[in-house]
Amino acid sequence: MPHSKPNSQGRLTQSVVLIGMMGAGKTAIGRALSARLRVEMHDSDAEIVTSAKLSIAEIFDRYGEPFFRDKEGRVIARLLDAPPCILSTGGGAWLAEDNRKMLLETACVLWLEADLDLLWSRVRHKSHRPLLQTEDPKATLAHLIETRTPAYELAPWKVAVQPDWSIDATADRVMDILLTAGAVTPQEAAT
Ligand code: S3P
């Protein structure tokens, strides 16, 4: 069954899941891939917000991080139990072993890697991320990168995002990897 409409840049054979730190560009690149492949794109954070009718910060504040993580795992499971799509996940989703197992079994997982300076330049002016509401958010971000990198390194595919790459240039690199991985196959010409 085809999972991409005609005129797309390829046919999606399995869901593609973008993982990586806050500010890596998972949502922006997910949208670009979705437009190129003409498939649905989901964002686990956005789904959680819609179902809880609360912002991420409110969920953390009222119910705590473990509650959020539980919801995150359920939302991801639901989104993967559907036709192939592009799924952008929150930065911590990949850290739970159960999530990793589920994602590796059902999807093509790609880590958008970015260094501290790039991530900081993107997140520093945004205040909606509860984990960065600390006295020294840049140090917190550096600590999160350090502690999470061994887990992110378990991802089968990676693109190291560069500061001078546009969304389109980054999406080009990701598309190349998805073709190599077989998650996207070239679209046959219409007959
Ligand atoms: C988090 C990242 C956020 C969101 C929550 C926790 C994390 O998503 O899920 O604030 O643990 O890194 P983004 O990566 O989309 O910012």
Side-chain angles (χ1 to χ4, degrees), residues 19-27 43-46 48 56-57 60 65 68-69 72 88-95 123 128-132 141 144 148 152:
I19 66 161
M21 284 292 297
M22 322 172 213
K26 296 166 298 208
T27 302
D43 178 316
S44 61
D45 282 348
I48 294 167
I56 304 280
F60 268 68
E65 184 173 348
F68 172 79
R69 297 298 173 200
E72 187 171 51
S88 154
T89 58
W94 180 250
L95 304 179
V123 302
H128 65 277
R129 293 184 169 98
L131 295 183
L132 296 182
L141 189 65
L144 287 171
R148 290 177 170 189
Y152 289 142

Side-chain angles (χ1 to χ4, degrees), residues 82-133:
C85 67
I86 308 294
L87 172 59
S88 154
T89 58
W94 180 250
L95 304 179
E97 201 181 336
D98 284 355
N99 290 347
R100 283 205 294 273
K101 197 163 171 285
M102 165 170 74
L103 291 170
L104 288 170
E105 274 168 10
T106 54
C108 176
V109 179
L110 186 141
W111 172 28
L112 285 180
E113 185 195 17
D115 69 16
L116 174 62
D117 288 341
L118 178 56
L119 295 173
W120 178 242
S121 71
R122 291 178 177 176
V123 302
R124 60 183 301 178
H125 298 300
K126 308 216 170 106
S127 60
H128 65 277
R129 293 184 169 98
L131 295 183
L132 296 182
Q133 301 309 302

Side-chain angles (χ1 to χ4, degrees):
M1 192 173 79
H3 291 301
S4 300
K5 299 197 178 88
N7 303 323
S8 72
Q9 289 183 14
R11 188 175 70 84
L12 195 63
T13 63
Q14 63 180 150
S15 288
V16 168
V17 177
L18 300 175
I19 66 161
M21 284 292 297
M22 322 172 213
K26 296 166 298 208
T27 302
I29 300 305
R31 285 200 191 110
L33 296 175
S34 152
R36 288 177 182 215
L37 295 166
R38 303 197 175 204
V39 291
E40 277 197 45
M41 185 253 177
H42 298 285
D43 178 316
S44 61
D45 282 348
E47 297 278 335
I48 294 167
V49 166
T50 304
S51 84
K53 299 189 181 70
L54 293 170
S55 70
I56 304 280
E58 284 168 335
I59 297 172
F60 268 68
D61 194 40
R62 288 195 203 174
Y63 303 109
E65 184 173 348
F67 177 88
F68 172 79
R69 297 298 173 200
D70 181 62
K71 271 205 164 300
E72 187 171 51
R74 288 166 198 267
V75 159
I76 290 171
R78 174 169 59 76
L79 293 173
L80 289 179
D81 188 23
C85 67
I86 308 294
L87 172 59
S88 154
T89 58
W94 180 250
L95 304 179
E97 201 181 336
D98 284 355
N99 290 347
R100 283 205 294 273
K101 197 163 171 285
M102 165 170 74
L103 291 170
L104 288 170
E105 274 168 10
T106 54
C108 176
V109 179
L110 186 141
W111 172 28
L112 285 180
E113 185 195 17
D115 69 16
L116 174 62
D117 288 341
L118 178 56
L119 295 173
W120 178 242
S121 71
R122 291 178 177 176
V123 302
R124 60 183 301 178
H125 298 300
K126 308 216 170 106
S127 60
H128 65 277
R129 293 184 169 98
L131 295 183
L132 296 182
Q133 301 309 302
T134 63
E135 273 188 18
D136 185 349
K138 188 173 182 187
T140 305
L141 189 65
H143 177 72
L144 287 171
I145 295 171
E146 198 185 321
T147 53
R148 290 177 170 189
T149 294
Y152 289 142
E153 278 172 343
L154 299 172
W157 304 99
K158 165 178 116 167
V159 166
V161 180
Q162 302 303 311
D164 56 341
W165 287 1
S166 62
I167 290 175
D168 247 12
T170 311
D172 284 345
R173 260 70 171 199
V174 173
M175 283 289 289
D176 287 346
I177 302 265
L178 298 182
L179 284 159
T180 304
V184 170
T185 54
Q187 186 84 37
E188 303 99 35
T191 51

